[in-house]
């Protein structure tokens, strides 16, 4: 501990005595040693394979020596990046200036009220409001998160659900950042917040019954952070008397509860990501009744349901990897009663459905583009909503009303700010209701986006979405930031990011590699990028980088990579596989210690992800994971410049994974490149909770990239 304290003091003194950087070509402060941390070997043996983890002890969150080490890393970062202070402030003010500080979401109507949120100038958090019947009616503030967050370093309001009689609000809050919420209630007529508080709940899973007094919620295991029990609470009663209505016994499944759009049912779902699902239903008018299974779970069988009149629509991968749409009578939900409505297609992935009185809307993914397909229930005719750009993202917005022919959808591209349209599904006329205002002089026609296709080493074409400022020459001299995620079947659709403008205006190109592991090209895209095919994700990203160099968008000396969480694992893998390809890498909250984490079922998210990464108890799966696990494959060699981030209270990727990784990299790397570790001591996986605090984190990252380019202005 003493050595760490001395490092802290020494680094702080250097920070105060460093001269201002030379503006013409940034120079890093010299003679500042990086933090060191003791080695305390711990031996792991599995399948006759021995691993030695010298830094396992860093998982002791409350150990003062651990905390001092983390603070020493922050001090080292502050010291070495001291010359970018003015740049960081400039970047922060730039990004903030593009945000309309006083803004309001587009109102939507539900059960007689218009709901919206608004931001006040200078405030970090939203104010949640509603108006009765008319937008001209007096405003009622349901929750002011700014007032609620007073005195907290982190504060997040989760789910907000209003009772059927419009009088009661159930809401969840997290004041730590670990995604363990408390459930509270407010009387919207009197403004009184009820004294009862239910702790350790899921933030996004609450559902009112139709009696305006019963609510269902999900209890969390405080160790694994898995939601595993559904409880019933009656407002005004002691929470200790709540009734558990369901317990998920298989810890590989995530569990949730919600009210169907038709309002007729309360539904409990259990889901193992991309593997299996199961739903249970209870009529909302009979909250003390028994939940009934819609269709029992099976391995490699998924479905989702939507209630409509006297039937259910079922979106399923049953004998259809890219999903197909089925329907079944309300009283006969077993799959032997399901009838096909929309057939499976090999080149189109159906990701979601939305039911209206006269129309069905499907969200489909084809060639890495989101598309909206509208089907008329009366004449069975269908069509796709058309869009003007070649690279875009479209998806349904808030659509709570059944009895309407108006679809509200969102549209964006890498050059078009988020836009919300009301679309008449009969006449096909659309009205732009709101487009996010981008201030600070942004002009869309000054930027260009493209869709490129890189060829991977196995011949598969990988889509790449790219944006840059017009006038950029493809002569290889441009700095380029390449981003990807590539896990869990999550598709990274191209969308507008006002923060990136700060890089584009300084000559950067920004690109998204739609690597395997997502579902941009259908279910097979995911199947080819997880479990025993996980390395395809890493190879795809590397091959996209090589492609962009070959096509003269950049060179190795100007190529940068970024990914977070599971995308941080991708960053860890690519610096082990091809450290020479990248000039710099930003790994946000990275999942890098695959074997150790997946071997410990007490660590949050572990058991639910055996089908994503593998179960180390199985020898073949263990050995494959070990072959790419970033922490286990750090070697004595040169690595690129790196910035690694984490949050002390991270619930998804525990802080000690990147902490151990950085310590091991410091020990073994043979280069003089910069290795920085930035720890948010007050937040979790998502970083800072305030809209402006988040921009400060982003300014650090952009300053790191620009410093490496010598562009500290």
């Amino acid at each position: 501990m003493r050595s760490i304290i001395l490092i802290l003091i020494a680094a702080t003194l250097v920070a105060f005595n460093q001269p201002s950087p030379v503006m013409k070509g940034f120079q890093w402060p010299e003679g500042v040693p990086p933090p060191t941390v003791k080695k305390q070997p711990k031996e792991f043996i599995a399948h006759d394979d021995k691993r030695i983890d010298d830094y396992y002890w860093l998982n002791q969150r409350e150990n003062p020596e651990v905390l001092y080490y983390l603070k020493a890393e922050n001090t080292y970062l502050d010291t070495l990046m001291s010359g970018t202070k003015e740049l960081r402030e400039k970047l922060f003010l730039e990004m903030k200036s593009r945000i309309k500080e006083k803004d309001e979401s587009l109102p939507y109507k539900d059960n007689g009220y218009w709901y919206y949120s608004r931001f006040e100038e200078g405030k970090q958090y939203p104010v949640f409001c509603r108006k009765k019947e008319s937008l001209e009616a007096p405003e009622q503030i349901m929750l002011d998160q700014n007032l609620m967050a007073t005195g907290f370093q982190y504060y997040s309001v989760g789910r907000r659900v209003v009772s059927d009689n419009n009088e009661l609000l159930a809401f969840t809050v997290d004041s730590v950042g670990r995604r363990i919420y408390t459930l509270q209630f407010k009387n919207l007529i009197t403004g009184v917040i009820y004294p009862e508080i239910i702790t350790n709940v899921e933030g996004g899973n609450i559902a009112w019954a139709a009696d305006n007094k019963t609510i269902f919620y999900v209890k969390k295991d405080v160790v694994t952070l898995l939601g595993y029990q559904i409880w019933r609470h009656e407002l005004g009663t002691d929470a200790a008397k709540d009734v558990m209505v369901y317990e998920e016994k298989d810890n590989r499944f995530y569990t949730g509860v919600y009210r169907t759009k038709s309002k007729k049912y309360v539904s409990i779902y259990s889901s193992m990501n991309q593997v299996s699902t199961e739903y249970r239903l209870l009529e909302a008018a009979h909250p003390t009744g028994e939940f009934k299974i819609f269709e029992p779970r099976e391995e490699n069988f998924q479905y989702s349901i939507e209630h409509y009149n006297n039937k259910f629509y079922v979106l399923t991968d049953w004998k259809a990897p890219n999903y197909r749409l089925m329907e079944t009578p309300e009283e006969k939900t077993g799959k032997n009663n399901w009838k096909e409505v929309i057939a499976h297609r090999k080149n189109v992935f159906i990701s979601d459905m939305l039911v209206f009185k006269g129309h069905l809307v499907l969200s489909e993914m084809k060639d890495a583009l989101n598309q909206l397909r509208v089907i008329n229930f009366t004449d069975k005719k269908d069509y796709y909503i058309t869009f003007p750009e070649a690279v875009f993202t479209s998806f349904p917005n808030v659509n709570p009303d059944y009895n309407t022919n108006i679809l509200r959808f969102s549209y964006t591209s890498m050059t078009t700010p988020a836009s919300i349209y009301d679309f008449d599904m009969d006449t096909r006329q659309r009205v732009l209701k709101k487009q996010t205002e981008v201030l600070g002089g942004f002009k869309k026609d000054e930027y260009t986006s493209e869709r490129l296709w890189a060829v991977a080493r196995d011949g598969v074409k990988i889509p790449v979405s790219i944006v840059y400022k017009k006038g950029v020459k493809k002569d290889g001299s441009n700095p380029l930031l390449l981003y990807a995620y590539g896990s869990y079947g999550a598709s990274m659709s191209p969308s507008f990011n006002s923060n990136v403008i700060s890089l584009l205006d300084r000559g950067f190109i920004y690109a998204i590699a739609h690597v395997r592991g997502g579902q941009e090209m259908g279910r097979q895209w995911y199947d080819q990028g997880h479990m025993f095919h996980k390395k395809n994700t890493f190879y795809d990203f590397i091959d996209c980088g090589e492609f962009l160099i070959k096509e003269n968008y950049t060179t190795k000396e100007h190529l940068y990579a970024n990914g977070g969480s599971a995308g941080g694992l991708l960053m860890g893998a690519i610096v082990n596989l091809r450290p020479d390809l990248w000039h710099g890498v930003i790994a946000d909250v990275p999942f890098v210690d695959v074997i150790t984490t997946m071997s410990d079922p007490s660590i949050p998210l572990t058991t639910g992800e055996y089908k994503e990464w593998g179960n180390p108890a199985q020898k073949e799966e263990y050995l494959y994971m070990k072959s790419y696990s970033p922490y286990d494959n750090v070697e004595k060699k040169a690595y690129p410049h790196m910035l690694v981030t984490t949050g002390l209270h991270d619930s998804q990727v525990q802080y000690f994974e990147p902490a151990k990784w950085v310590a091991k990299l410091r020990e073994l790397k043979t280069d003089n490149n910069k290795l920085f570790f930035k720890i948010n001591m007050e937040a979790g996986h998502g970083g800072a909770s305030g809209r402006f605090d988040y921009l400060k984190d982003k300014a650090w990252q952009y300053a790191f990239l620009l410093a490496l380019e010598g562009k500290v202005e």
Side-chain angles (χ1 to χ4, degrees):
M1 183 187 301
R2 186 170 181 272
S3 62
I4 295 176
I5 295 174
L6 291 175
I7 291 171
L8 270 169
I9 295 171
T12 303
L13 290 173
V14 173
F16 280 109
N17 289 285
Q18 279 299 319
S20 299
V22 178
M23 291 300 117
K24 294 181 179 179
F26 177 70
Q27 295 183 3
W28 301 96
E30 297 181 357
V32 184
T36 59
V37 61
K38 71 180 182 183
K39 296 168 67 172
Q40 189 171 307
K42 183 177 177 61
E43 183 179 279
F44 293 93
I45 298 177
H47 311 293
D48 298 321
D49 177 67
K50 182 169 70 174
R51 294 185 305 127
I52 303 296
D53 188 344
D54 289 324
Y55 303 105
Y56 183 80
W57 71 276
L58 288 174
N59 68 355
Q60 301 170 35
R61 188 188 310 273
E62 306 300 328
N63 185 333
E65 194 167 358
V66 172
L67 295 175
Y68 273 118
Y69 166 64
L70 298 179
K71 291 174 183 177
E73 286 286 2
N74 277 339
T75 301
Y76 177 70
L77 170 69
D78 290 342
T79 303
L80 269 290
M81 291 281 287
S82 60
T84 68
K85 184 176 180 180
E86 291 183 10
L87 173 61
R88 296 197 308 269
E89 181 65 17
K90 184 175 183 179
L91 288 166
F92 168 72
L93 293 175
E94 266 183 29
M95 292 184 282
K96 184 181 178 184
S97 73
R98 298 189 192 104
I99 298 174
K100 186 179 180 181
E101 292 197 29
K102 187 177 181 180
D103 201 6
E104 186 176 297
S105 68
L106 184 63
Y108 66 90
K109 196 172 186 181
D110 186 19
N111 196 24
Y113 280 82
W114 289 93
Y115 291 89
Y116 60 98
S117 61
R118 58 178 175 80
F119 281 100
E120 297 177 353
E121 190 169 355
K123 299 291 183 66
Q124 292 265 31
Y125 298 106
V127 181
F128 301 103
C129 311
R130 69 175 185 175
K131 294 181 179 181
K132 188 173 183 179
E133 294 297 344
S134 168
L135 289 173
E136 305 304 317
E139 178 183 82
Q140 179 185 9
I141 294 178
M142 298 190 296
L143 296 174
D144 185 340
Q145 189 171 334
N146 297 287
L147 295 177
M148 299 164 70
T150 302
F152 293 96
Q153 292 292 326
Y154 179 96
Y155 200 88
S156 174
V157 173
R159 184 89 165 137
R160 307 170 309 282
V161 182
V162 176
S163 60
D164 290 14
N165 64 4
N166 292 314
E167 295 181 1
L168 303 168
L169 174 69
F171 62 97
T172 58
V173 297
D174 172 16
S175 59
V176 176
R178 198 153 171 78
R179 300 188 183 181
I180 301 177
Y181 288 77
T182 59
L183 172 60
Q184 296 179 252
F185 305 91
K186 182 177 181 178
N187 188 308
L188 295 175
I189 305 303
T190 65
V192 173
I193 293 181
Y194 289 83
E196 58 213 86
I197 295 177
I198 302 174
T199 59
N200 302 331
V201 304
E202 284 277 10
N205 287 272
I206 48 178
W208 285 104
D211 63 356
N212 302 302
K213 63 179 182 180
T214 303
I215 195 159
F216 296 90
Y217 62 91
V218 181
K219 201 77 172 175
K220 256 190 172 181
D221 184 309
V222 295
V223 177
T224 66
L225 301 187
L226 283 174
Y228 71 113
Q229 295 174 338
I230 311 296
W231 288 74
R232 184 180 70 232
H233 174 75
E234 186 174 318
L235 193 62
T237 65
D238 185 352
K241 298 180 180 179
D242 288 357
V243 177
M244 186 175 69
V245 298
Y246 175 71
E247 182 173 17
E248 178 55 63
K249 301 291 187 181
D250 190 334
N251 62 7
R252 299 175 301 165
F253 281 76
Y254 300 96
T255 302
V257 64
Y258 69 98
R259 185 90 170 266
T260 61
K261 184 178 176 180
S262 68
K263 302 293 187 182
K264 185 173 181 179
Y265 294 98
V266 175
S267 176
I268 294 173
Y269 69 88
S270 296
S271 173
M272 188 187 342
N273 184 60
Q274 304 297 340
V275 177
S276 178
T277 53
E278 182 178 72
Y279 287 81
R280 287 171 165 78
L281 295 173
L282 171 70
E283 288 198 26
H286 306 288
T288 59
E290 182 181 350
F291 282 85
K292 296 181 179 180
I293 294 178
F294 187 90
E295 171 64 21
R297 69 184 66 177
E298 297 177 25
E299 194 89 350
N300 299 314
F301 165 55
Q302 299 180 90
Y303 67 93
S304 61
I305 58 177
E306 189 73 70
H307 179 245
Y308 172 75
N309 286 343
N310 60 350
K311 69 175 70 172
F312 282 95
Y313 282 95
V314 185
L315 193 59
T316 180
D317 65 354
W318 179 37
K319 300 180 180 179
N322 276 343
Y323 284 77
R324 57 177 170 161
L325 186 68
M326 317 283 279
E327 66 178 20
T328 191
E330 187 173 17
E331 300 302 323
K332 297 180 180 179
T333 62
K335 68 180 179 181
N336 57 310
N337 300 298
W338 297 1
K339 293 183 180 180
E340 187 172 85
V341 178
I342 301 294
H344 171 264
R345 286 160 291 168
K346 290 184 178 180
N347 64 337
V348 178
F349 175 71
I350 305 176
S351 60
D352 202 2
M353 62 175 166
L354 195 60
V355 178
F356 296 90
K357 183 178 181 179
H359 302 84
L360 174 70
V361 178
L362 298 180
S363 296
E364 299 182 348
M365 182 74 76
K366 182 180 181 181
D367 293 335
L369 293 176
N370 298 91
Q371 302 185 62
L372 295 174
R373 183 182 183 186
V374 180
I375 303 169
N376 190 299
F377 279 135
T378 303
D379 59 19
K380 307 302 181 184
K381 292 182 179 179
D382 72 312
Y383 60 89
Y384 288 90
I385 299 176
T386 58
F387 299 106
E389 297 176 275
V391 184
F392 63 88
T393 298
S394 63
F395 53 90
N397 199 270
V398 181
N399 291 274
D401 191 3
Y402 263 102
N403 301 308
T404 181
N405 64 338
I406 301 298
L407 166 70
R408 177 165 288 183
F409 69 81
S410 294
Y411 174 84
T412 182
S413 74
M414 298 183 85
T415 59
T416 302
S419 310
I420 302 175
Y421 289 87
D422 277 355
F423 180 82
D424 189 313
M425 292 181 282
D426 292 323
T427 66
R428 306 191 191 186
Q429 298 298 308
R430 74 189 76 187
V431 177
L432 177 62
K433 302 296 290 185
K434 180 180 175 63
Q435 184 175 82
T436 300
E437 290 187 57
V438 183
L439 307 179
F442 167 75
K443 295 179 181 179
K444 174 183 174 177
D445 58 7
E446 294 182 352
Y447 306 87
T448 296
S449 65
E450 296 181 62
R451 168 58 54 82
L452 310 174
W453 295 88
V455 179
R457 61 195 65 190
D458 60 358
V460 173
K461 291 184 177 180
I462 312 298
V464 180
S465 299
I466 193 166
V467 64
Y468 52 86
K469 195 163 187 178
K470 288 182 179 178
V472 166
K473 296 180 180 180
K474 300 173 186 176
D475 59 4
S477 65
N478 308 296
L480 187 150
L481 178 60
L482 182 62
Y483 169 83
Y485 185 72
S487 291
Y488 303 110
S491 298
M492 297 294 105
S493 299
S495 59
F496 187 79
N497 182 347
S498 66
N499 298 330
V500 171
I501 296 170
S502 289
L503 290 180
L504 303 184
D505 287 351
R506 290 172 170 81
F508 266 77
I509 295 172
Y510 180 71
I512 303 172
H514 303 283
V515 295
R516 281 174 281 188
Q519 290 186 123
E520 288 93 334
M521 301 291 287
R523 171 71 188 202
Q524 76 281 0
W525 210 242
Y526 171 65
D527 288 338
Q528 294 172 19
H530 78 115
M531 286 295 289
F532 291 112
H533 302 288
K534 188 63 212 172
K535 291 181 183 178
N536 282 335
T537 304
F538 317 142
Y539 297 148
D540 286 356
F541 191 82
I542 291 169
D543 293 343
C544 285
E546 294 276 20
F547 167 80
L548 292 166
I549 292 172
K550 180 181 177 182
E551 296 298 314
N552 287 323
Y553 284 92
T554 191
T555 59
K556 288 183 181 180
E557 292 74 25
H558 300 287
L559 179 58
Y560 301 92
N562 175 222
S565 195
L569 181 150
L570 170 60
M571 297 300 102
I574 60 133
V575 297
N576 282 334
L577 291 168
R578 284 295 307 277
D580 63 301
L581 187 59
W582 324 96
H583 190 221
V585 172
I586 300 175
D588 290 313
V589 292
F591 171 44
V592 286
D593 189 13
V594 183
I595 293 292
T596 308
T597 292
M598 295 305 296
S599 297
D600 186 351
S602 72
I603 292 178
L605 306 184
T606 293
T607 55
E609 299 189 357
Y610 286 152
K611 293 296 184 178
E612 179 71 24
W613 314 104
N615 184 349
Q618 306 300 319
K619 183 176 181 178
E620 188 179 8
E621 296 174 18
Y622 169 91
L623 292 175
Y624 186 79
M625 283 187 285
K626 187 185 177 186
S627 72
Y628 68 75
S629 175
Y631 183 61
D632 291 289
N633 286 279
V634 174
E635 297 175 333
K636 186 171 286 189
K637 61 185 177 184
Y639 283 87
H641 298 282
M642 296 175 65
L643 171 62
V644 182
T645 72
T646 192
L648 181 62
H649 303 294
D650 198 326
S651 59
Q652 313 302 103
V653 179
Q654 307 299 303
Y655 76 91
F656 45 81
E657 288 199 42
K660 292 164 51 178
W661 184 45
V662 168
K664 191 171 183 179
L665 282 166
R666 286 206 193 284
E667 176 195 352
L668 295 179
K669 75 189 195 80
T670 59
D671 57 85
N672 293 316
N673 290 331
K674 301 296 176 284
L675 173 58
F676 296 136
F677 187 27
K678 187 176 189 300
I679 307 98
N680 189 325
M681 303 297 287
E682 306 293 343
H685 197 62
S689 57
R691 58 173 175 160
F692 301 136
D693 288 342
Y694 166 77
L695 296 179
K696 293 177 182 177
D697 291 339
K698 188 58 64 177
W700 271 100
Q701 296 186 12
Y702 287 0
F704 170 72
L705 297 174
L706 291 165
L708 293 177
E709 284 292 307
K711 294 187 176 184
V712 179
E713 304 162 347

